[in-house]
Amino acid sequence: MSGALAAVREKASLGLNKAKSAVGITKTPEPENTNALDDMAEFCPQLTYKQRVYGFAVCFGIGYLITIMSFNFFDELRDNGNPVPFVIFYTLGNVISLLASMFLCGFKTQFKRMFDDTRKVTTIVYLSTLVASIIICFIPFNPDLKLLILVLLLIAQFIASTWYTLSYIPFARRAVKKCFKREFGDEA
């Protein structure tokens, strides 16, 4: 009986360790050879679970509050052609919200996961649209065209952010693709 109990305890412990490792609570052994991504990820500190929950809650709340507040400046963008306040606040809110998700599994793990094969394209699209919106904001040209470009970048950011988030939910991307295929796919 004690042998069976020990086997169950060992399996439970192994399962708990795998779960902790999956969310970045414990360190997993890393390969000896490092690359530039590993070097950049070293700047991210290890945090306790409680610190991660607090960091996530604070960053998430502040980030989305700033993003929502940025739409107060959208009228100024539309009416006066001045995109600076809107773009700066919108981008700042998005960056802070992105940092919030990093608290959940740790900065280092999240940074590496952002650029793994499943998320690399989405991450690059998201970050490049954030940077492009700031650049477009400061280039002087037709205000109507600037508004159109910024709105298109905003839509691209939202789609990339959503697709990025779905990559962390098992089978979510596959389900969304299936729904789109069913609704808009080949019906020949």
Side-chain angles (χ1 to χ4, degrees):
M1 184 77 164
S2 66
L5 184 60
V8 169
R9 185 179 301 149
E10 184 178 327
K11 286 184 180 182
S13 177
L14 181 64
L16 182 61
N17 287 339
K18 283 183 180 180
K20 284 181 179 180
S21 177
V23 295
I25 293 175
T26 60
K27 280 190 164 183
T28 55
E30 295 183 17
E32 295 271 333
N33 47 350
T34 61
N35 57 25
L37 190 60
D38 290 331
D39 293 339
M40 285 189 286
E42 287 299 322
F43 291 110
C44 302
Q46 295 291 325
L47 301 173
T48 67
Y49 180 75
K50 189 175 184 178
Q51 290 170 332
R52 289 178 188 176
V53 171
Y54 287 149
F56 171 77
V58 169
C59 280
F60 184 81
I62 290 173
Y64 279 101
L65 182 65
I66 291 171
T67 299
I68 291 167
M69 287 174 40
S70 72
F71 285 95
N72 289 333
F73 299 107
F74 195 77
D75 288 338
E76 189 173 335
L77 166 65
R78 188 187 63 223
D79 297 340
N80 302 333
N82 181 16
V84 175
F86 171 73
V87 171
I88 296 299
F89 280 101
Y90 184 82
T91 303
L92 179 65
N94 273 289
V95 169
I96 292 173
S97 297
L98 181 63
L99 290 174
S101 67
M102 289 184 179
F103 277 101
L104 291 177
C105 62
F107 287 108
K108 184 175 179 178
T109 304
Q110 178 70 13
F111 188 79
K112 286 183 177 183
R113 287 180 183 170
M114 284 174 66
F115 291 98
D116 71 7
D117 290 337
T118 357
R119 299 177 190 94
K120 187 185 300 184
V121 173
T122 306
T123 300
I124 291 170
V125 168
Y126 180 68
L127 295 177
S128 62
T129 55
L130 285 173
V131 171
S133 61
I134 292 173
I135 292 170
I136 295 296
C137 168
F138 290 106
I139 296 175
F141 62 94
N142 182 330
D144 294 331
L145 181 59
K146 186 181 284 193
L147 175 64
L148 175 66
I149 292 171
L150 288 172
V151 167
L152 291 174
L153 287 170
L154 177 104
I155 292 168
Q157 286 172 32
F158 176 77
I159 292 169
S161 174
T162 303
W163 197 247
Y164 175 81
T165 303
L166 289 174
S167 72
Y168 284 97
I169 303 169
F171 307 110
R173 281 182 167 185
R174 189 181 310 166
V176 170
K177 284 180 186 177
K178 190 175 181 180
C179 287
F180 271 93
K181 279 186 180 179
R182 186 176 52 228
E183 294 298 321
F184 305 111
D186 296 336
E187 297 186 26

